[in-house]
Amino acid sequence: MMEEEELEFVEELEAVLQLTPEVQLAIEQVFPSQDPLDRADFNAVEYINTLFPTEQSLANIDEVVNKIRLKIRRLDDNIRTVVRGQTNVGQDGRQALEEAQKAIQQLFGKIKDIKDKAEKSEQMVKEITRDIKQLDHAKRHLTTSITTLNHLHMLAGGVGSLEAMTRRRQYGEVANLLQGVMNVLEHFHKYMGIPQIRQLSERVKAAQTELGQQILADFEEAFPSQGTKPKKPKVPDNPFHGIVSKCFEPHLYVYIESQDKNLGELIDRFVADFKAQGPPKPNTDEGGAVLPSCADLFVYYKKCMVQCSQLSTGEPMIALTTIFQKYLREYAWKILSGNLPKTTTSSGGLTISSLLKEKEGSEVAKFTLEELCLICSILSTAEYCLATTQQLEEKLKEKVDVSLTERINLTGEMDTFSTVISSSIQLLVQDLDAACDPALTAMSKMQWQNVEHVGDQSPYVTSVILHIKQNVPIIRDNLASTRKYFTQFCIKFANSFIPKFITHLFKCKPISMVGAEQLLLDTHSLKMVLLDLPSIGSQVVRKAPASYTKIVVKGMTRAEMILKVVMAPHEPLVVFVDNYIKLLTDCNTETFQKILDMKGLKRSEQSNMLELLRQRLPTPPSGADGSSSLSLMAPTPEQESSRIRKLEKLIKKRL
């Protein structure tokens, strides 16, 4: 029975220890061994026969058995150690698995939290975006409402003032006010369905009609019959006329000297007040603010004129006029010119001549918003003084004796205020022009021969447009009441910028075909911006004045034609030269050579082309200079700009 159990145990053990050939091969590779016990085909009988090959070898059987038992014991110890180690590994594995499962659960929890927070953040962003959109719409509507209400307030007040001035026959004031009312009324064309707006519009039309009828009636009253000559009715001869006033005339010099002193103190007070308080804040809805001191000055003039005329209409009035002239000039110099922002510093301070002086290539610091508004305010004040001085001259001529009217002449003072206006406009032009200089310099320094493709407008164009959008709306809003001078600013800027742009255009050399196409695109972009300059950034789009549009189209079209000639192939030579003569009206050898330099042609190639151009240019009439056809053509923008500079130099010499 015991033998059967042992046999079964051996069979089971062999079954358990029976390994596949692949596993056995892997074990042999990992643990190579020469021991017969480690062989897969181990045979116990062969192994015993190996140990005891003869009967005599059985003598040391005990020793062999002891070695085998020792080896078995060591194997048991190794197996026991391995089994115990595997037991610990299993426990460590289970523990590691549990920790991994816990970490995975924690990770899932954190991922879920992050997902929840992301959803909440997304919802919050949507709510914030929705609120921002609502705020943007509200801001836009609120801005439009405030602007419209301001315009409505201006319209209502302007219509009332217009009707009152019409009744009082204040035609000079009505002329300026009516233009402003008509400009404001343009904002309300889309609101004419509202009864109150329509009523205001009808009141304006009625005031215009009444003005026309009233002015015609005044003319008919002043000229009662055709062919009859603003003469004064002849005062009937009176033996006592002027007797009392003549008694005062020798002593009125005391009054004149007193007014001289008072006006000097008044001018000094104006200067001190300006330094202490600074210029008034401009109201962009109604145009540049006029300095209040000018109104105070002319009110005082009127009071002095009335007082003096009541005492005498003779020589004392001429003396008073001289005093008026003196302080009109001082007001122009000390209050207006003296407070214009300075573009250059010198020990002698700022003068009219220094404002008219131009320095080629000099960098001028850009004016701040406050300085731009101040220049516009001074310009508006100078215009007010110019118009009021003209009225003062007329009033003085009415007050003096007829024999003395020729001695009343305030033309010099009116010219002084005109010079202040021109200087203010020139300052505004120089500021914007200088701000654009770095962009034009960047254009001329670009490697146009390396341009590989045509894209959007170049960065220098964007820079120029940015400066224009920053300055022009401020100037336009602050010169709303003096629209003609804003037009002058636009014209002067175009006459200054376009020739400078063409000059820098000639410095772009050499130019590849693609580079010329990019420059042509940039030139067209600048042309469109300049054409839109008078109304850029404005809610009310007005058509630019024809005089300004003509200058821009002429100058920028010339720049485009130059680039088109550059883009044209220079062979055959005759076709290229004829194309140049056709595209450029002011064709001459100097411009032609600059274009050849832009194309990157060598001097040897240019000589033949220049000679061909001279042969194909129209023959000048007899007595004309045959070296160039420029004298036959219309003046270029560069020539026009040069003429303006010469005119300003003449004005400077006169001053």
Side-chain angles (χ1 to χ4, degrees):
M1 188 66 179
M2 290 295 293
E3 291 178 357
E4 292 178 358
E5 290 179 356
E6 289 179 358
L7 289 174
E8 290 178 0
F9 175 75
V10 171
E11 291 176 357
E12 290 178 0
L13 183 61
E14 289 179 353
V16 171
L17 294 177
Q18 191 68 32
L19 302 176
T20 62
E22 293 81 3
V23 175
Q24 186 65 38
L25 179 61
I27 291 174
E28 290 178 357
Q29 291 176 352
V30 177
F31 302 105
S33 176
Q34 299 298 327
D35 194 342
L37 294 174
D38 294 331
R39 294 174 60 86
D41 56 349
F42 174 73
N43 190 326
V45 176
E46 291 181 0
Y47 182 69
I48 292 172
N49 289 332
T50 303
L51 292 176
F52 305 104
T54 62
E55 293 181 0
Q56 289 80 5
S57 61
L58 292 174
N60 58 349
I61 189 171
D62 294 334
E63 183 180 354
V64 173
V65 170
N66 290 334
K67 289 182 180 179
I68 292 175
R69 286 178 178 173
L70 179 60
K71 192 172 184 178
I72 291 172
R73 191 160 44 249
R74 289 177 179 174
L75 287 174
D76 289 340
D77 292 339
N78 291 336
I79 292 171
R80 190 180 302 109
T81 302
V82 172
V83 170
R84 290 176 179 174
Q86 289 297 323
T87 303
N88 294 335
V89 168
Q91 293 177 354
D92 294 341
R94 283 193 298 272
Q95 184 178 357
L97 180 61
E98 292 175 357
E99 292 177 355
Q101 290 176 344
K102 290 180 180 179
I104 292 173
Q105 291 177 355
Q106 292 176 356
L107 181 61
F108 276 124
K110 291 181 179 179
I111 292 174
K112 188 174 183 303
D113 291 340
I114 292 173
K115 183 178 179 181
D116 294 340
K117 290 180 180 179
E119 292 176 352
K120 292 180 180 178
S121 299
E122 183 179 2
Q123 184 64 27
M124 186 181 300
V125 169
K126 289 182 179 178
E127 293 177 357
I128 293 174
T129 305
R130 182 172 62 251
D131 294 340
I132 291 175
K133 289 182 180 178
Q134 292 177 352
L135 288 174
D136 286 340
H137 288 304
K139 179 183 177 182
R140 184 162 56 251
H141 294 157
L142 183 60
T143 302
T144 304
S145 301
I146 292 174
T147 304
T148 305
L149 287 175
N150 287 335
H151 288 159
L152 180 60
H153 175 71
M154 292 165 56
L155 180 63
V159 171
S161 301
L162 181 64
E163 293 173 343
M165 291 179 181
T166 302
R167 290 192 295 269
R168 293 196 296 266
R169 285 178 162 79
Q170 296 176 334
Y171 299 134
E173 292 79 358
V174 165
N176 293 328
L177 179 60
L178 182 59
Q179 181 61 41
V181 170
M182 296 303 297
N183 290 339
V184 175
L185 193 59
E186 291 181 4
H187 294 275
F188 293 93
H189 283 327
K190 56 184 177 181
Y191 302 117
M192 285 302 173
I194 302 174
Q196 291 82 354
I197 302 298
R198 187 168 59 252
Q199 183 180 2
L200 286 173
S201 177
E202 292 173 354
R203 286 174 61 185
V204 172
K205 293 179 181 178
Q208 286 180 293
T209 304
E210 184 180 354
L211 269 172
Q213 296 173 351
Q214 191 170 290
I215 292 172
L216 288 175
D218 289 345
F219 270 108
E220 290 174 357
E221 183 179 350
F223 304 99
S225 60
Q226 185 176 4
T228 303
K229 291 185 178 180
K231 295 183 178 179
K232 294 181 181 179
K234 186 177 180 181
V235 179
D237 294 336
N238 185 346
F240 301 103
H241 178 70
I243 292 179
V244 177
S245 60
K246 287 181 180 179
C247 295
F248 285 99
E249 281 188 1
H251 308 285
L252 282 179
Y253 72 90
V254 178
Y255 174 80
I256 301 299
E257 291 177 354
S258 174
Q259 297 308 322
D260 188 2
K261 180 181 178 182
N262 292 341
L263 283 170
E265 294 175 352
L266 187 63
I267 294 294
D268 291 340
R269 180 166 63 84
F270 290 160
V271 174
D273 289 347
F274 192 96
K275 291 181 179 179
Q277 301 174 4
K281 297 297 181 183
N283 187 338
T284 56
D285 289 330
E286 299 179 0
V290 176
L291 300 180
S293 56
C294 66
D296 296 341
L297 179 65
F298 284 103
V299 168
Y300 191 85
Y301 274 8
K302 182 178 180 182
K303 183 181 73 171
C304 294
M305 180 179 63
V306 172
Q307 290 176 350
C308 187
S309 63
Q310 291 175 349
L311 298 175
S312 173
T313 57
E315 289 295 333
M317 285 292 293
I318 301 299
L320 183 65
T321 300
T322 303
I323 299 299
F324 285 174
Q325 291 175 305
K326 172 184 176 182
Y327 289 103
L328 282 173
R329 291 192 296 270
E330 285 204 12
Y331 185 84
W333 293 332
K334 293 183 178 180
I335 307 300
L336 300 182
S337 295
N339 287 303
L340 282 172
K342 296 174 176 57
T343 56
T344 57
T345 56
S346 61
S347 58
L350 185 68
T351 61
I352 297 296
S353 60
S354 67
L355 290 172
L356 295 176
K357 185 177 181 181
E358 291 184 0
K359 293 185 178 180
E360 294 288 340
S362 60
E363 293 186 0
V364 182
K366 192 173 181 183
F367 291 136
T368 63
L369 171 62
E370 292 75 14
E371 289 174 329
L372 288 176
C373 294
L374 173 59
I375 295 173
C376 295
S377 180
I378 290 176
L379 192 155
S380 301
T381 303
E383 187 208 20
Y384 175 85
C385 292
L386 175 62
T388 312
T389 301
Q390 186 176 4
Q391 297 173 9
L392 177 65
E393 182 184 57
E394 295 173 356
K395 292 294 182 182
L396 286 169
K397 288 182 178 181
E398 292 177 2
K399 297 294 183 181
V400 300
D401 294 336
V402 177
S403 59
L404 300 177
T405 54
E406 295 298 328
R407 296 173 61 184
I408 304 292
N409 187 356
L410 303 183
T411 303
E413 288 66 38
M414 288 187 278
D415 289 343
T416 301
F417 289 118
S418 297
T419 303
V420 174
I421 293 173
S422 299
S423 301
S424 302
I425 295 175
Q426 188 63 28
L427 271 181
L428 297 172
V429 171
Q430 286 178 351
D431 179 59
L432 182 54
D433 204 24
C436 297
D437 278 347
L440 296 181
T441 303
M443 175 191 78
S444 61
K445 291 184 178 180
M446 287 182 63
Q447 301 296 323
W448 292 103
Q449 73 274 21
N450 296 332
V451 178
E452 297 180 353
H453 62 276
V454 179
D456 294 333
Q457 63 186 27
S458 300
Y460 75 88
V461 178
T462 305
S463 177
V464 171
I465 295 174
L466 177 63
H467 288 300
I468 289 176
K469 288 184 176 180
Q470 286 176 345
N471 281 34
V472 174
I474 298 172
I475 297 171
R476 181 185 59 245
D477 293 342
N478 282 279
L479 294 181
S481 60
T482 55
R483 190 74 188 176
K484 61 180 180 181
Y485 294 120
F486 174 69
T487 301
Q488 286 187 22
F489 159 76
C490 295
I491 291 174
K492 283 195 172 186
F493 175 71
N495 278 327
S496 175
F497 175 80
I498 295 176
K500 186 178 295 186
F501 173 74
I502 293 177
T503 300
H504 282 79
L505 196 63
F506 283 132
K507 295 179 182 179
C508 299
K509 54 186 179 181
I511 304 177
S512 65
M513 177 66 70
V514 179
E517 292 177 356
Q518 180 64 54
L519 271 172
L520 186 61
L521 173 65
D522 295 341
T523 302
H524 181 72
S525 299
L526 285 175
K527 180 181 178 181
M528 294 296 101
V529 171
L530 289 174
L531 287 174
D532 190 45
L533 184 139
S535 61
I536 194 168
S538 175
Q539 296 179 353
V540 179
V541 179
R542 291 190 180 92
K543 186 178 180 180
S547 57
Y548 171 77
T549 302
K550 182 179 179 181
I551 292 171
V552 173
V553 171
K554 180 180 179 182
M556 296 305 290
T557 300
R558 181 171 183 264
E560 291 175 334
M561 294 301 104
I562 290 172
L563 291 171
K564 288 184 179 180
V565 175
V566 173
M567 293 168 58
H570 59 277
E571 291 181 351
L573 301 183
V574 176
V575 176
F576 179 73
V577 172
D578 289 344
N579 190 43
Y580 166 73
I581 297 174
K582 177 182 177 181
L583 292 177
L584 290 175
T585 57
D586 60 330
C587 51
N588 56 74
T589 55
E590 182 181 359
T591 303
F592 187 64
Q593 187 163 11
K594 291 179 180 179
I595 291 176
L596 297 181
D597 290 338
M598 294 172 71
K599 291 178 70 68
L601 298 179
K602 298 179 180 178
R603 291 293 178 180
S604 58
E605 297 176 298
Q606 295 183 15
S607 58
N608 295 332
M609 302 177 77
L610 287 169
E611 183 61 30
L612 182 61
L613 173 67
R614 294 187 184 98
Q615 295 174 3
R616 302 188 70 83
L617 280 176
T619 304
S622 59
D625 185 7
S627 61
S628 173
S629 64
L630 186 61
S631 59
L632 303 177
M633 305 301 175
T636 64
E638 294 96 326
Q639 291 175 311
E640 293 178 356
S641 178
S642 177
R643 291 177 180 177
I644 292 173
R645 285 196 293 270
K646 289 179 181 178
L647 179 60
E648 290 175 344
K649 289 180 180 178
L650 290 175
I651 295 173
K652 177 181 67 175
K653 291 180 180 178
R654 177 182 175 186
L655 292 173

